[in-house]
């Protein structure tokens, strides 16, 4: 299954990169800043076709196609283009994310960043890898020496769950905060030790399915804002190198 996910992610990712100069048909989804293009839909079709060929009975949850429900214990959770706003602006920070669940437990995750040629892979219990090399979270121990990453939901104008205040709280407590625009890449960067902590509210299963497993398999920690374990449906995600986890929880719990 990991191999199928890798091949599907690479095929779709290459399609994304090669589509960057195409004329985009942009539609709005949940809000005026929540975009979808024909490229998102076509990339999802590439992935679903690859999976269906090998595993016709498995359930698929794709961002653009909804859920195809079967009795299978396996479920593929797909974001064919994570970072659509970046993509529509020609900003090369976007990826394909594919996670595979078995009876509700994530067993494999793949994220492919076609612009940097970076393939992130993980299988439960077998570690996390970037282009075949083992990766680990950072060893930064102090929040003030940490680079944090976050993102904002598409209804940020309503400031859900103190999203704006939480951003301000961290601004003065960390070394730096980055907003890349692709939650799947954000989580991969925590796994690879390029950043130390990530938090965001109201992400969707396809944004985080692969990324959560990658962080955990790289030695990091992923919880909600109270420190409890989460799954792909959780509305709040905190992913860190583990060492700064409690320091970040303390800041999040100010709200
Ligand atoms: C979005 C990105 C972004 C996050 C948004 C997501 P999309 O996914 O992951 O970083 O802040 O909440 O919806 O719409 O580009 O697939
Ligand atoms: Ca997404
Ligand atoms: Ca998407």
């Amino acid at each position: 299954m990991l191999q199928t996910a890798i091949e599907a992610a690479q095929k779709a990712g290459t399609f994304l990169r090669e589509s960057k100069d195409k004329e985009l048909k942009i539609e709005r989804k949940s809000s005026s800043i929540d975009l979808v293009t024909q490229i998102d839909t076509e990339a999802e079709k590439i992935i679903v076709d690859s999976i269906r060929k090998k595993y016709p009975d498995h359930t698929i949850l794709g961002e653009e196609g909804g859920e195809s429900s079967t009795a299978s214990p396996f479920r593929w959770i797909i974001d064919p283009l994570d970072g659509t706003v970046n993509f529509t602006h020609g900003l090369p920070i976007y990826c394909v994310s594919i996670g595979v669940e078995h009876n509700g437990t994530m067993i494999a995750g793949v994220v492919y960043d076609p612009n940097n040629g970076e393939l992130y892979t993980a299988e439960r219990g077998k570690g996390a890898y970037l282009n075949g090399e083992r990766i680990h979270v950072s060893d930064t121990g102090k929040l003030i020496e940490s680079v944090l990453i976050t993102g904002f939901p598409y209804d940020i104008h309503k400031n859900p769950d103190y999203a704006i205040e939480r951003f301000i709280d961290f601004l003065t407590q960390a070394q730096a905060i980055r907003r890349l625009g692709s939650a799947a890449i954000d989580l991969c960067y925590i796994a690879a030790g390029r950043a130390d902590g990530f938090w965001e509210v109201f992400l969707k299963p396809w944004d985080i399915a692969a990324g959560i497993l990658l962080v955990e398999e790289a030695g990091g920690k992923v919880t909600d804002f109270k420190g409890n374990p989460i799954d792909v449906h959780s509305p709040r995600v905190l992913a860190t190198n583990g060492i700064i986890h409690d320091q970040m929880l303390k800041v999040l719990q100010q709200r």
Side-chain angles (χ1 to χ4, degrees):
M1 274 180 264
L2 183 70
Q3 201 47 41
T4 302
I6 290 172
E7 283 164 22
Q10 287 180 319
K11 205 167 161 195
T14 304
F15 167 76
L16 295 179
R17 200 188 58 225
E18 288 175 351
S19 303
K20 73 177 175 45
D21 296 325
K22 282 189 193 153
E23 197 178 317
L24 298 177
K25 296 184 197 100
I26 300 175
E27 284 170 37
R28 264 96 193 149
K29 299 205 283 186
S30 65
S31 79
S32 62
I33 56 170
D34 182 5
L35 312 181
V36 62
T37 72
Q38 83 277 21
I39 305 300
D40 299 61
T41 316
E42 287 168 29
E44 183 162 305
K45 189 170 180 316
I46 291 171
I47 298 164
V48 170
D49 287 351
S50 307
I51 298 166
R52 284 262 171 268
K53 249 186 237 160
K54 297 241 173 86
Y55 304 103
D57 302 334
H58 289 186
T59 296
I60 292 180
L61 174 61
E63 176 172 14
E64 312 308 341
E67 183 134 26
S68 83
S69 190
T70 69
S72 169
F74 293 99
R75 182 166 75 148
W76 296 68
I77 305 180
I78 303 163
D79 194 335
L81 168 46
D82 188 48
T84 296
V85 171
N86 287 347
F87 180 80
T88 62
H89 287 261
L91 186 59
I93 307 175
Y94 53 82
C95 67
V96 178
S97 174
I98 303 176
V100 189
E101 255 180 10
H102 181 245
N103 287 327
T105 300
M106 201 59 57
I107 54 166
V110 171
V111 173
Y112 181 55
D113 166 357
N115 295 296
N116 290 305
E118 292 193 331
L119 177 73
Y120 294 85
T121 55
E123 279 178 286
R124 183 162 298 279
K126 294 189 182 169
Y129 296 82
L130 164 53
N131 291 342
E133 301 282 329
R134 189 95 189 235
I135 50 173
H136 299 280
V137 293
S138 70
D139 59 6
T140 309
K142 290 188 188 146
L143 193 50
I144 195 65
E145 292 172 4
S146 298
V147 170
L148 306 182
I149 309 182
T150 191
F152 304 103
Y154 288 122
D155 61 347
I156 187 63
H157 55 282
K158 294 187 195 152
N159 191 22
D161 204 18
Y162 304 102
I164 295 173
E165 289 82 356
R166 287 190 159 123
F167 181 72
I168 295 169
D169 292 341
F170 278 118
L171 264 180
T172 50
Q173 306 231 24
Q175 187 174 77
I177 301 186
R178 302 289 179 249
R179 198 290 192 235
L180 305 178
S182 163
I185 289 182
D186 299 343
L187 288 164
C188 287
Y189 285 3
I190 301 300
R194 293 174 179 172
D196 311 294
F198 165 82
W199 84 97
E200 190 163 342
V201 292
F202 303 126
L203 288 163
K204 297 287 184 344
W206 41 82
D207 299 317
I208 56 177
I212 290 177
L213 185 65
L214 275 151
V215 171
E216 288 175 346
E217 287 298 321
K221 189 167 178 181
V222 185
T223 69
D224 66 10
F225 292 175
K226 290 187 171 148
N228 297 316
I230 63 162
D231 64 24
V232 293
H233 300 286
S234 300
R236 300 178 186 86
V237 178
L238 172 63
T240 72
N241 64 4
I243 313 170
I244 62 160
H245 207 85
D246 288 349
Q247 295 169 63
M248 286 192 73
L249 279 174
K250 210 168 149 195
V251 176
L252 290 167
Q253 285 166 14
Q254 282 169 222
R255 300 290 161 185

